[in-house]
Amino acid sequence: MEKIVVIGSMGHAKVIIDSIEKARLYEIAGIIDTNRAEGEKVLGYTVLGGDDDLPDLIDDAEISGGVIAIGDNCTRAKVVDQIRDLIPDFRFVSVVHPDGSIARGVTIGQGTVVMAGVRINTDAVVGNFCILNTNASLDHDSRLGNFASLAPNAATGGNTIIEEGVAIGIGATVSHGVTIGKHTIVGAGAVVLTDLTEHVVAFGTPAKPVRSRKIGDPYLH
Ligand SMILES: CC(C)(COP(=O)(O)OP(=O)(O)OC[C@H]1O[C@@H](n2cnc3c(N)ncnc32)[C@H](O)[C@@H]1OP(=O)(O)O)[C@@H](O)C(=O)NCCC(=O)NCCS
């Protein structure tokens, strides 16, 4: 099996580690996290160092790539940029839990993670570095932009367009044909019946924008 590193070590990384173990496509060589001491253990895997150590590790430990395991969409994008600055051709792999269901005609970009119980229906297009978290559902012909995320139990109807950097909160639903503009946050439990513009925070039933937001404003609390 190819050896990869998991970049990130918090709760989201633990769920990804479980998916990697169950999918049996890659061997986990260790964890990369600048905020942890080298040698620390995460689910039995050793912290090998931070981003800066990756170039040496790739040579020494025959690591062929890695999965980005950071839940916040903006932070994930920043870390991807940092790693590409260090190693322009770094190979970011995607991970799909074997209990995920991927229908015919679906495409999934690089660096995307698909957790247990996820349903991606026919002809949906999933971008790069997305998160489809536990039991999320993206229905037919929908598009999930780069660095966008569906939290656990979030669900969309068919033909939705969820643009780059959007986060759909836990248990939220997005009705068919709706477009959500880039970097918008849909709050937990919201029901989105009509389009939402970019860079807003929206929640409620039906979901309404409550304020604007800047890229990087926190939303995972
Ligand atoms: C939408 C969200 C980003 C708003 O965060 P915020 O701007 O910091 O909002 P606050 O927590 O300060 O709450 C402000 C008010 O909005 C209400 N509110 C916040 N989120 C809400 C939601 N999803 N639905 C209904 N009301 C909500 C709060 O109860 C509070 O009401 P109050 O003023 O009457 O007390 C956040 O609540 C949210 O839902 N994040 C997504 C979490 C998630 O899905 N995580 C996934 C983990 S995998």
Side-chain angles (χ1 to χ4, degrees):
M1 278 196 283
E2 278 180 64
K3 284 203 259 183
I4 61 165
V5 287
V6 174
I7 302 157
S9 65
M10 304 304 280
H12 178 60
K14 288 160 78 175
V15 180
I16 291 176
I17 287 171
D18 181 63
S19 299
I20 296 168
E21 290 175 343
K22 294 222 166 64
R24 293 169 176 268
L25 283 176
Y26 301 109
E27 178 187 332
I28 299 172
I31 308 290
I32 298 296
D33 193 331
T34 313
N35 299 314
R36 282 199 194 254
E38 205 176 310
E40 239 184 278
K41 297 277 185 188
V42 177
L43 290 183
Y45 297 103
T46 306
V47 175
L48 302 173
D51 302 352
D52 292 345
D53 299 305
L54 260 178
D56 287 343
L57 284 166
I58 285 179
D59 293 339
D60 299 348
E62 294 174 351
I63 288 161
S64 64
V67 62
I68 185 93
I70 296 169
D72 180 277
N73 291 339
C74 177
T75 309
R76 190 163 67 259
K78 278 189 188 149
V79 172
V80 166
D81 281 349
Q82 282 163 17
I83 291 172
R84 282 184 167 154
D85 282 346
L86 288 166
I87 313 166
D89 59 349
F90 186 78
R91 182 166 163 255
F92 288 99
V93 302
S94 297
V95 171
V96 178
H97 191 288
D99 283 348
S101 165
I102 315 290
R104 190 140 64 89
V106 168
T107 59
I108 297 178
Q110 67 167 315
T112 285
V113 292
V114 177
M115 309 306 197
V118 165
R119 300 279 179 269
I120 308 178
N121 229 323
T122 314
D123 287 337
V125 177
V126 177
N128 301 324
F129 304 104
C130 296
I131 299 170
L132 293 94
N133 223 322
T134 313
N135 284 333
S137 170
L138 183 72
D139 223 302
H140 66 87
D141 301 293
S142 288
R143 293 206 326 252
L144 191 62
N146 297 338
F147 295 101
S149 59
L150 301 180
N153 275 323
T156 80
N159 292 297
T160 58
I161 299 174
I162 297 170
E163 292 183 347
E164 177 167 343
V166 167
I168 308 292
I170 190 162
T173 52
V174 180
S175 191
H176 64 279
V178 162
T179 296
I180 300 182
K182 61 186 178 184
H183 301 292
T184 277
I185 306 297
V186 172
V191 178
V192 186
L193 298 176
T194 52
D195 294 354
L196 293 172
T197 55
E198 61 188 44
H199 294 276
V200 297
V201 174
F203 54 73
T205 305
K208 302 274 186 220
V210 290
R211 61 178 164 85
S212 60
R213 76 179 289 266
K214 296 192 298 296
I215 296 176
D217 285 352
Y219 60 93
L220 286 174
H221 53 273

